[in-house]
Amino acid sequence: MFNPSPKQFKFIKALLFVLALLPAVRLLVFGFTDRLGANPIEFITRSSGDWTLYFLCITLVVTPLRRFTNWNWLIKLRRMIGLFAFFYGSLHFTTFLWFDHFFDIAEMLKDVVKRPFITVGFIAFVMLLPLALTSTNGMIRRLGGKRWQWLHRSVYAVAMLGILHFWWMRAGKHNFEKPILFGTIVAALLLIRVYFAWRNRGDGAAKSRTAVQKRQVTPTLT
Amino acid sequence: QKLAAKANPAYVVMDKATSYKDATTYNNFYEFGSDKSDPVENAGNLKTRPWTVAIEGEVKKPMTLDIDSLLKLAPMEERIYRLRCVEGWSMVIPWIGYSLSELIKKVEPTGNARYVEFTTLADNRQMPGLRAPVLEWPYVEGLRMDEAMHPLALLSFGMYGQVLPNQSGAPVRMVLPWKYGFKSAKSIVKIRFLKDQPRTAWNIAAAREYGFYSNVNPDVDHPRWSQATERRIGEDGFFTKKRKTLMFNGYNDVASLYSGMDLKKYF
């Protein structure tokens, strides 16, 4: 089983950080070299939206992948990936607030209330805020592992709302390929988690207790 | 390939023309794919010659015209029109063509002709976008007879002094500047005159979102976004606010076609 040394792990984490920044760097480079196309704002909005969903999916993959491979060290990368989902979500929201509404909050809120596709996207973004804010070690300690975990399970709801937002956006074009792909991935990941929970319950009480304990400990790892 | 035309001073707008590059790389032409960059990438091999347009239905003189006869049917004019897409962006394009009414007069519609239907090319071998079940193919659009006879309704063969590039609807398309862009059928192969209102591609796909008329109207929102403002491609961007959309895209001449009609109901 692959288990990186602290030095190797540091390298893996740094590499992942650089890779995760690439989509943002690409937007910057394209912006400065006039390669964002005829409608640069649409390009940025779509790209940042796509990457928010990609990173949400990647965070959700971490735990199943860890269980299947027993690579427990993977969990130590999850916070960073989650924060990148928040980063791209913020970029996506900012393009909407800036370029669609020129920071007119009242106008923006009117849009949020009036259009279900924006409503769900906005709710998903707002729901990411407490997750980002409670991502520090201090907050995990203060909340306690169990409560922290309950709160952070809402990331599934965020992913589903994000996909619904994407689905409705594409509904006008009848072009559901990508939303269906995202939806299938998230549904599969959720099913795997349900399966894990069901299997844990099926085992002896002692084993399930250790499982719970183990799960409580994991978030405090960095 | 150049296409000679005389500028028509009656159809000039004050707006700055969109760059040729933007106008020909950012297109909706679903037969070639649903991304804006798909048409320019996939339309290169479209065969635009030989090309014929069948004119049939409620006309005294049904005929099939090849592209050369169509090009010679009336004098070519250059007209600069605003183009407003239903998605909330706009361009300004110098088109070349003549009023559709020139063609209509030639085929002599009967008293029964109340609508015109445009059918566009749907060829699996040339159009990879047809594989996607996004719309019912072939793409069909339509107009009421008085709309079709309005001088603004342009049968177009070129833009920017040249023949139409494939991704812009070569070799012949409609341009209806007071309506959302999708009403302007591209790569037309058939024009049919009808007694009843034809069904149209986007209306079949989503009737709640795309009406038969689809006149540019800042007061009637698309269900998922406002139509009150628009982003002018190449101009409005990072530091300029989106501009206000004008009723009928600023072409108030056409208002009389709709007097007495509730345009919120007939959107």
Side-chain angles (χ1 to χ4, degrees):
Chain A
M1 191 183 70
F2 176 62
N3 201 1
S5 68
K7 217 174 143 189
Q8 283 173 320
F9 180 76
K10 247 180 140 172
F11 173 77
I12 292 170
K13 198 173 170 183
L15 185 70
L16 184 66
F17 182 84
V18 172
L19 287 178
L21 262 184
L22 281 182
V25 172
R26 173 174 166 262
L27 287 179
L28 270 178
V29 170
F30 276 21
F32 283 109
T33 53
D34 197 23
R35 272 151 62 196
L36 290 174
N39 197 344
I41 289 155
E42 184 187 71
F43 192 105
I44 297 170
T45 309
R46 299 217 169 143
S47 171
S48 56
D50 281 354
W51 282 102
T52 309
L53 286 174
Y54 291 139
F55 277 102
L56 282 171
C57 288
I58 300 170
T59 36
L60 292 174
V61 160
V62 171
T63 295
L65 191 64
R66 184 175 64 109
R67 298 270 177 101
F68 286 127
T69 58
N70 280 324
W71 290 1
N72 281 318
W73 53 274
L74 282 176
I75 198 72
K76 293 190 276 181
L77 297 170
R78 193 172 62 176
R79 166 162 55 195
M80 192 173 80
I81 302 169
L83 284 171
F84 267 109
F86 178 68
F87 169 69
Y88 285 105
S90 306
L91 193 61
H92 187 65
F93 174 74
T94 308
T95 50
F96 165 67
L97 180 59
W98 181 354
F99 304 127
D100 267 330
H101 294 291
F102 254 72
F103 299 108
D104 188 335
I105 307 275
E107 273 298 307
M108 181 207 78
L109 288 175
K110 256 203 281 183
D111 233 13
V112 168
V113 175
K114 204 170 165 190
R115 304 178 206 289
F117 114 89
I118 295 177
T119 315
V120 291
F122 184 73
I123 292 172
F125 176 67
V126 170
M127 283 175 73
L128 270 181
L129 282 171
L131 303 194
L133 290 172
T134 58
S135 65
T136 61
N137 287 345
M139 284 309 291
I140 296 169
R141 217 174 315 113
R142 241 166 284 163
L143 280 170
K146 194 148 199 181
R147 250 183 298 169
W148 184 92
Q149 202 176 30
W150 260 109
L151 177 64
H152 280 248
R153 275 194 188 132
S154 65
V155 74
Y156 275 101
V158 172
M160 285 188 265
L161 288 171
I163 291 163
L164 183 63
H165 167 71
F166 191 33
W167 181 281
W168 274 344
M169 195 279 273
R170 285 289 178 87
K173 298 218 147 190
H174 277 242
N175 187 357
F176 295 122
E177 249 172 63
K178 250 168 126 183
I180 287 173
L181 181 71
F182 278 122
T184 312
I185 291 171
V186 170
L189 292 170
L190 189 58
L191 277 177
I192 292 171
R193 297 304 288 268
V194 170
Y195 168 72
F196 282 145
W198 170 79
R199 202 181 54 176
N200 276 344
R201 193 175 310 153
D203 288 347
K207 204 173 172 192
S208 87
R209 221 176 296 127
T210 51
V212 168
Q213 274 166 6
K214 219 167 104 189
R215 254 185 281 141
Q216 279 183 350
V217 174
T218 43
T220 59
L221 292 169
T222 50
Chain B
Q1 201 187 335
K2 289 226 179 330
L3 181 60
K6 214 176 140 214
N8 184 333
Y11 304 105
V12 171
V13 291
M14 289 299 111
D15 314 46
K16 195 174 116 219
T18 304
S19 76
Y20 180 79
K21 188 183 167 221
D22 282 351
T24 54
T25 55
Y26 188 77
N27 306 104
N28 279 320
F29 196 165
Y30 276 45
E31 284 82 342
F32 295 106
S34 61
D35 277 346
K36 301 280 194 309
S37 54
D38 287 339
V40 66
E41 280 165 27
N42 299 332
N45 293 324
L46 177 72
K47 254 186 87 186
T48 55
R49 265 166 204 273
W51 190 280
T52 56
V53 178
I55 299 154
E56 50 185 63
E58 298 287 347
V59 285
K60 290 189 196 111
K61 295 180 178 166
M63 54 180 83
T64 297
L65 293 170
D66 63 25
I67 194 66
D68 290 309
S69 341
L70 276 168
L71 282 162
K72 277 180 278 184
L73 190 129
M76 286 288 164
E77 298 172 20
E78 180 173 74
R79 301 183 183 183
I80 304 171
Y81 279 168
R82 281 183 291 268
L83 164 76
R84 170 64 154 81
C85 177
V86 72
E87 296 166 343
W89 51 267
S90 59
M91 294 183 181
V92 178
I93 297 179
W95 300 104
I96 297 171
Y98 48 78
S99 291
L100 176 68
S101 60
E102 304 279 354
L103 175 68
I104 295 179
K105 278 181 239 161
K106 196 158 171 168
V107 295
E108 298 178 29
T110 69
N112 282 333
R114 292 178 55 225
Y115 293 91
V116 191
E117 177 195 71
F118 305 91
T119 306
T120 75
L121 183 71
D123 181 351
N124 285 313
R125 285 162 305 160
Q126 303 191 75
M127 299 173 139
L130 297 181
R131 282 195 292 265
V134 179
L135 293 168
E136 255 179 43
W137 313 110
Y139 190 93
V140 174
E141 257 307 335
L143 294 171
R144 218 170 50 192
M145 203 58 192
D146 56 341
E147 296 179 312
M149 286 300 289
H150 196 280
L152 268 175
L154 185 75
L155 191 66
S156 175
F157 304 85
M159 61 199 273
Y160 296 86
Q162 299 174 24
V163 298
L164 287 171
N166 293 347
Q167 67 271 26
S168 303
V172 55
R173 64 168 295 170
M174 284 303 301
V175 182
L176 304 156
W178 74 96
K179 291 176 178 285
Y180 293 121
F182 68 88
K183 289 295 293 179
S184 300
K186 302 187 182 92
S187 304
I188 296 168
V189 292
K190 188 159 66 175
I191 300 175
R192 203 150 62 108
F193 292 77
L194 302 167
K195 212 162 77 180
D196 301 311
Q197 184 177 304
R199 299 186 72 205
T200 58
W202 277 105
N203 187 250
I204 293 168
R208 227 171 51 84
E209 302 185 18
Y210 310 101
F212 175 78
Y213 288 93
S214 288
N215 292 316
V216 176
N217 188 341
D219 302 324
V220 177
D221 286 348
H222 183 277
R224 270 170 293 112
W225 57 84
S226 162
Q227 295 290 27
T229 58
E230 67 199 50
R231 177 174 294 134
R232 179 65 51 81
I233 296 298
E235 289 185 54
D236 305 344
F238 297 96
F239 306 106
T240 25
K241 247 179 141 153
K242 294 203 277 188
R243 63 189 66 199
K244 284 204 157 48
T245 290
L246 305 170
M247 186 66 202
F248 300 121
N249 204 17
Y251 295 93
N252 292 316
D253 275 8
V254 300
S256 58
L257 297 174
Y258 310 104
S259 57
M261 269 176 78
D262 178 0
L263 294 180
K264 285 203 160 75
K265 191 174 164 211
Y266 298 100
F267 59 91

